[in-house]
Amino acid sequence: MPRKERLFILGLPQIVQLQGHNKSELFIDDDDHDYFLQCIDNAITRYGGDLHSYCLFAANALLLITPNEKENIGAIIQHVGRRYVPYFNKKYQRSGSLWEGRYKSCLVEPENYLLPCMHYIESGGMLLTVAAADYPWSSYRHNAGLTTLSRITPHAEYNLLGKTALQRGDAYRRFSQKPISHYILQRISDCIRQNTLLGMAKFCQQLENQLQGNVRPRKRGRPRKNYNISEQQLNFIETKIRLLCQQYSYIEIKLPLIQDVSLSPELLNFSMQPQRLASYNHQTILSSDGSLSCLQFVNQHSELLQGSKVWYQGPIFRHTSEQHDMLEQYVQVGVEAFGWEDDAIVAEQLQLQYELFKVLELNKEVELRINYIGSLDEFAAFRYALTTYFQPYAILFDQQRQAWLQTTPEYLLVDYPLELEPVIKLAPKLGDYLTVAAKGRFQQLQQLLDNMGLPYVVTPHLYPASHYSDILFEWHGEHIAPDSLLCRGGRYDEFMTQVMQQPSHACGFAFMLDNVIKLLVATGHRPDEYNDYKIIVIPEHHIDGALGFNVCRQLRQSFPGIAVVLDCTEQLAIKRQTNANKKRNNIIVIIHSDELNNIDLLCKEQREIGLSLDAVRARISRLIQA
């Protein structure tokens, strides 16, 4: 089978990994490190390229290089191998290959992943809370502004950290103090192992369309075409969300499926795609966003604006991508808080979301992306600048992009023809339209999230899909791309202030439960409580029916959160036991006589006999708490 061709795209940096054969050491003393770096310097000088970051550990070397040509990386590694390997073999009286096969590499989308990759490299590719400032064989001290290394060429994205070297070093030190999330570690490892591209889904999709091939890591097995979402899965996740919301003091409210927007037409602007129904006055819509229904509820109960926390669940409706005259139904759970001015409420909601993903065992499969877009006026000024800048290039845009140019020109920064990449790089930057106070507010939120231990990625091109202002956030799971969006939210204080005609503060988010369940299925995660326990009571003989009801009543009192069922069918007892035992989490209680001291307990192929009812309760309690 031919080996995979190296993926190369001009201008994109690459992570290069060299490992010792059979996990043997590549470097033993300081002279080895020095000579290896000399070989790297000579190779880059000879073949061209920019070295942005590196780290030399005993058994592996990690480099971040932007090559000038496709063959440069291979030539650089070959040059190093022809000089360093003979040096190492001669010095330590060994022979044969020093490397573990071919070097491994992956491309990096610099705008979103350059800094995380630099942190990954300077941490040695391990889960370290901070890059070691005292470790002499990495580029961390240079990038943190603590020393100067002539071999390092800063990337353009690194230069955006500040106007001076001191500012850039200080910003990078703060960034490196955050731990690398398990999600980022896993994605980088997968991309290096498969020689693919580390980037956002839309960026990868653009390159795949251009190259007519896959640039993202593949998952094991055949791609899943359909995701069958069961009622049991929905009930399980909704139960977990309800419990979390209760713990965070959010109150559930019931919202209608159909809204009469004539009651509050100004709120209709908050919805992304309102689905109108045929009616005599055309004022009736199907809910396409639970937030709209929630805002109408608050509009009718204005006292909630003074400090309330609510959550809701239910179906929403969107047009299908293939047929715009057809609707698809989705399930959404939303959480909203009104009356809290401090951004601590944002941090609390992000923590609630992270707690849910931990309960579902998905915390290593999801990524939190945040951005700060400023006030509505600041963002409007940014949009106007983009429209003015892109107007001369409008003739190059298709119909969809021309529509974006008039209403949401920021989308052009995310989805654009690759031939316009030089134009995109020179487009106005959102940060140029934010005040110093706004930037300071965002830094305070980041510091709070760091102190809480919440992993996140600042995504400059994360823009609002609705009337959000200030802070935006989204959770994504790339395993189910392009439907990777799991949760979206942010603050919308200014919108509520305009609608309510009084100073108002609001922050909220919504889970896309369909996508959350897809991610559960795609990653193969099955939480321990995925199938809730159920107690099946089976009388073995035709005994007094009241005894069976009495046992069920006492078990329900002891375990109010578990369903207890009395099997009253006419089948033989052994047949009823067999049927009940087909589900792994069924707990089977078998009554043999009219007394409560001769009960059998069967669960997960383990059987205990001759128990009293108190002993049965104790065994079940230990079982469900294990």
Side-chain angles (χ1 to χ4, degrees), residues 245-417:
C245 288
Q246 290 174 353
Q247 292 174 342
Y248 281 79
S249 189
Y250 284 84
I251 300 173
E252 184 177 7
I253 59 175
K254 301 296 183 181
L255 302 177
L257 293 180
I258 300 175
Q259 293 286 344
D260 185 357
V261 296
S262 62
L263 299 177
S264 50
E266 66 279 0
L267 291 174
L268 187 60
N269 293 328
F270 193 82
S271 181
M272 294 181 293
Q273 297 173 320
Q275 316 300 343
R276 295 188 179 274
L277 294 177
S279 61
Y280 71 95
N281 60 1
H282 298 287
Q283 295 297 306
T284 306
I285 66 168
L286 277 173
S287 176
S288 65
D289 188 346
S291 298
L292 172 62
S293 301
C294 185
L295 293 183
Q296 286 193 318
F297 180 85
V298 173
N299 190 38
Q300 297 167 10
H301 303 82
S302 57
E303 68 276 5
L304 295 176
L305 290 173
Q306 305 308 314
S308 62
K309 296 179 178 180
V310 299
W311 75 280
Y312 58 87
Q313 60 176 321
I316 60 173
F317 301 88
R318 301 272 172 84
H319 285 296
T320 62
S321 56
E322 293 82 9
Q323 295 178 290
H324 293 288
D325 58 340
M326 296 185 63
L327 294 178
E328 286 184 332
Q329 178 177 318
Y330 300 89
V331 182
Q332 185 183 74
V333 171
V335 175
E336 311 288 342
F338 303 98
W340 274 267
E341 181 179 3
D342 193 275
D343 288 333
I345 190 65
V346 179
E348 179 189 83
Q349 292 188 351
L350 292 175
Q351 186 179 49
L352 187 155
Q353 297 154 24
Y354 189 56
E355 286 293 326
L356 176 66
F357 291 124
K358 288 175 67 175
V359 168
L360 299 179
E361 301 176 15
L362 292 176
N363 53 303
K364 296 182 181 180
E365 310 292 344
V366 297
E367 179 181 58
L368 170 61
R369 302 171 185 173
I370 63 174
N371 194 22
Y372 192 89
I373 63 169
S375 66
L376 292 180
D377 289 339
E378 290 169 339
F379 195 69
F382 171 61
R383 276 181 167 171
Y384 178 78
L386 286 177
T387 302
T388 304
Y389 175 78
F390 283 122
Q391 200 64 51
Y393 306 98
I395 193 173
L396 302 176
F397 297 149
D398 57 20
Q399 184 176 0
Q400 176 65 70
R401 292 188 176 95
Q402 287 182 356
W404 289 345
L405 181 60
Q406 303 304 319
T407 56
T408 53
E410 65 272 13
Y411 289 0
L412 296 172
L413 300 174
V414 181
D415 189 350
Y416 55 86

Side-chain angles (χ1 to χ4, degrees), residues 577 581 586-588 600-607:
Q577 293 177 33
N581 204 31
N586 278 353
I587 301 172
I588 305 171
D600 291 356
L601 183 65
L602 178 63
C603 183
K604 298 180 180 179
E605 300 181 355
Q606 296 182 2
R607 184 169 188 143

Side-chain angles (χ1 to χ4, degrees), residues 16-121:
V16 178
Q17 183 182 56
L18 291 169
Q19 292 179 304
H21 180 65
N22 200 26
K23 299 183 180 180
S24 61
E25 292 184 336
L26 299 177
F27 314 102
I28 296 178
D29 59 24
D30 290 352
D31 291 340
D32 299 340
H33 293 89
D34 274 329
Y35 188 70
F36 183 88
L37 291 175
Q38 290 176 27
C39 294
I40 290 290
D41 294 341
N42 294 335
I44 290 179
T45 301
R46 180 172 181 177
Y47 297 104
D50 295 327
L51 178 65
H52 309 300
S53 179
Y54 69 86
C55 185
L56 309 182
F57 269 56
N60 69 81
L62 287 166
L63 312 169
L64 183 63
I65 303 176
T66 300
N68 297 335
E69 298 177 0
K70 182 177 182 179
E71 294 78 13
N72 280 16
I73 294 291
I76 289 171
I77 300 304
Q78 189 178 67
H79 179 94
V80 172
R82 286 176 175 174
R83 283 154 181 78
Y84 183 76
V85 174
Y87 154 84
F88 190 88
N89 285 350
K90 181 179 180 180
K91 181 176 180 179
Y92 297 105
Q93 299 180 357
R94 66 181 301 278
S95 62
S97 174
L98 181 60
W99 316 128
E100 181 72 42
R102 304 171 73 201
Y103 72 88
K104 298 177 181 178
S105 64
C106 80
L107 296 175
V108 178
E109 178 196 358
E111 191 162 30
N112 291 295
Y113 287 104
L114 180 86
L115 295 182
C117 286
M118 290 174 62
H119 186 19
Y120 170 87
I121 288 172

Side-chain angles (χ1 to χ4, degrees), residues 541-553:
H541 305 292
H542 293 287
I543 59 176
D544 183 7
L547 180 63
F549 287 109
N550 184 34
V551 170
C552 290
R553 178 180 58 81

